Amino acid sequence: MGVKHLQTTLPRARRAQKSLYRPENKALSASFRQIRLATGLSQHEFGSLLGRNQSFISAVETGAIRLDALQIRDWCDAAHVGMSAWLQLFETLLFRQAGDE
């Protein structure tokens, strides 16, 4: 099954909500914050590891900025956490969030 086939089978009437506004974004940003907190580093210190400033770290942790896959990998590397461990944490937070709704 090629990509072209997949594209033609999706309902056209349904538009995906931007992920920035989806409720799952809270779990995503919380996962980044929890990983950083586990390092014992401040936002400023963690930002220095990533070559970013404190306001960038804050924006990620509040969900105002979304990270791409490579940036997530950098975040995990800076925290000495494997991406699979991060993903498991994210899934756990999603599960908890779904239970709270």
Side-chain angles (χ1 to χ4, degrees):
M1 180 183 303
V3 173
K4 189 171 185 172
H5 176 71
L6 287 174
Q7 290 174 340
T8 59
T9 60
L10 292 175
R12 294 203 186 268
R14 188 183 75 172
R15 291 183 50 114
Q17 184 180 17
K18 288 189 175 194
S19 60
L20 186 61
Y21 303 111
R22 290 175 55 175
E24 297 95 326
N25 197 42
K26 289 182 182 181
L28 181 63
S29 57
S31 71
F32 295 126
R33 183 170 194 275
Q34 285 190 21
I35 287 173
R36 194 240 337 140
L37 289 173
T39 67
L41 298 174
S42 68
Q43 289 181 341
H44 178 78
E45 293 165 331
F46 197 76
S48 293
L49 290 177
L50 293 172
R52 304 302 293 252
N53 59 28
Q54 177 274 329
S55 63
F56 174 82
I57 302 304
S58 177
V60 170
E61 292 181 358
T62 59
I65 292 178
R66 294 172 292 165
L67 301 180
D68 65 29
L70 296 176
Q71 292 171 312
I72 293 170
R73 184 175 185 216
D74 292 342
W75 192 284
C76 290
D77 285 347
H80 303 289
V81 171
M83 285 186 74
S84 60
W86 162 77
L87 187 56
Q88 187 173 15
L89 171 62
F90 176 45
E91 289 286 336
T92 299
L93 293 171
L94 282 173
F95 181 75
R96 285 184 194 156
Q97 179 178 312
D100 291 342
E101 294 176 351

